Amino acid sequence: MNLVTATDVVSAAAKIAPFIQQTPLLHLPGERLWIKAENRQPTRSFKVRGALNAVGRLAEQGAGHVIAQSSGNHAQAVAYAAGRLGLRVTVVLPDTAPSLKVDAARGLGAEVVVVPPALREVTCTALADHLGAAVVRSDDFDTIAGHAGIGAEIAAELPGVATILVPVCNGGLLAGVAVAAKAANPAITVIGVEPALAADGQASFRAGHRVTWPVEDTYRTVADGLRAPVLGALAWEHIRLHVDDMLTVTEDAIVAAMDLLSAKVGERAEPSGAVTTAAYLTHDLPPGPVAAVLSGGNI
């Protein structure tokens, strides 16, 4: 299986640079925590990084129509990227997706198909065949390489960083950040964070192989962007090589972290983006500076 390298990270960062923000690291007063504010990206989520790189590669290969399935943020990102590159775009969303994310995808030019959560993947695959569209997966090689720029930026902007906390859905973000962080400094501890109600990633990490949770279980969490029932196959291969640990947080801790981020650093975090701050507040972490990826603010 072909894995993302530091060279791929540099190449992706150069390709997407004209379209994204190099987001700031914001210090939480009185703490050893810095917040990587990816909610400031054009679609208010980190997802735009990977989508721009992946859709750009597909455009170079002659694709005229792309399709993605998503809980919401990946859909917006793919629609944004397709719009910038002149491609037609279709997205498949669950009927539980917040209306804010559905409306935003349509506003960015996407044709939106809404289905029950368990039918997202099969519907996307069937539509791709029917429409002749190229699928943009949230843990594709090019998507992971695009996301990895976050890890590279943290390592460059906070040279003494000891620990990086990363939200986990299907693992594409965690995989990319881990590759880039370990390339910059192998001593950096990279930790994935999930809601306790959707902890298939931690279960996989502990078992040493991918573990699938029922969709009805993962959809209990308020963190709608972290409800994937299993880690992506390619993401998992990076995670098992480069990630140091996986932690979980409670629903109450997520909400408390959202409130803290708003009050102390003035950032609007969706529940999925607040899990890393929740982990900092509720777990004992290695000594030294900690960076938490605030992955999105679509709330």
Side-chain angles (χ1 to χ4, degrees):
M1 186 175 287
N2 203 19
L3 300 184
V4 173
T5 68
T7 300
D8 298 314
V9 176
V10 172
S11 175
K15 177 183 290 186
I16 69 177
F19 305 102
I20 67 163
Q21 299 292 323
Q22 184 163 333
T23 52
L25 276 171
L26 308 173
H27 184 228
L28 185 66
E31 301 288 345
R32 59 188 178 107
L33 179 66
W34 277 258
I35 307 299
K36 182 63 167 168
E38 285 294 296
N39 57 312
R40 296 191 182 187
Q41 290 293 356
T43 60
R44 296 194 296 194
S45 161
F46 79 95
K47 291 282 191 178
V48 71
R49 292 177 182 261
L52 281 162
N53 194 46
V55 174
R57 182 64 60 86
L58 289 169
E60 291 169 359
Q61 296 170 353
H65 187 178
V66 293
I67 187 170
Q69 65 91 4
S70 164
S71 62
N73 284 343
H74 180 58
Q76 293 177 64
V78 172
Y80 175 85
R84 292 298 176 276
L85 297 168
L87 277 63
R88 181 183 170 191
V89 58
T90 302
V91 296
V92 179
L93 294 170
D95 55 19
T96 55
S99 59
L100 172 74
K101 296 182 178 182
V102 178
D103 293 344
R106 287 197 175 104
L108 289 165
E111 302 165 42
V112 177
V113 177
V114 178
V115 299
L119 298 180
R120 281 165 48 181
E121 183 67 42
V122 66
T123 301
C124 182
T125 301
L127 280 174
D129 290 341
H130 176 70
L131 298 170
V135 179
V136 184
R137 302 191 185 280
S138 55
D139 73 325
D140 280 342
F141 182 98
D142 292 316
T143 308
I144 291 172
H147 294 337
I150 295 172
E153 289 174 17
I154 291 172
E157 296 162 16
L158 189 61
V161 64
T163 303
I164 302 178
L165 301 171
V166 187
V168 180
C169 182
N170 70 356
L173 173 61
L174 177 59
V177 170
V179 168
K182 295 295 186 179
N185 180 359
I188 295 173
T189 298
V190 180
I191 300 174
V193 184
E194 292 178 304
L197 296 182
D200 59 285
Q202 187 190 65
S204 301
F205 194 80
R206 300 285 185 264
H209 58 84
R210 290 195 300 156
V211 174
T212 301
W213 277 31
V215 168
E216 54 267 28
D217 286 354
T218 63
Y219 269 69
R220 295 173 299 168
T221 180
V222 69
D224 63 282
L226 305 182
R227 292 170 174 167
V230 64
L231 295 172
L234 182 58
W236 166 247
E237 293 302 319
H238 294 82
I239 289 167
R240 69 181 187 84
L241 289 175
H242 301 298
V243 171
D244 298 286
D245 201 1
M246 298 274 265
L247 301 176
T248 65
V249 292
T250 66
E251 301 295 289
D252 287 345
I254 293 170
V255 174
M258 292 169 65
D259 292 341
L260 180 71
L261 288 165
S262 177
K264 297 297 185 181
V265 294
E267 295 298 315
R268 180 170 64 180
E270 61 185 277
S272 305
V275 295
T276 49
T277 298
Y280 171 83
L281 296 171
T282 58
H283 288 276
D284 291 327
L285 299 173
V290 178
V293 179
L294 196 177
S295 56
N298 284 306
I299 185 170

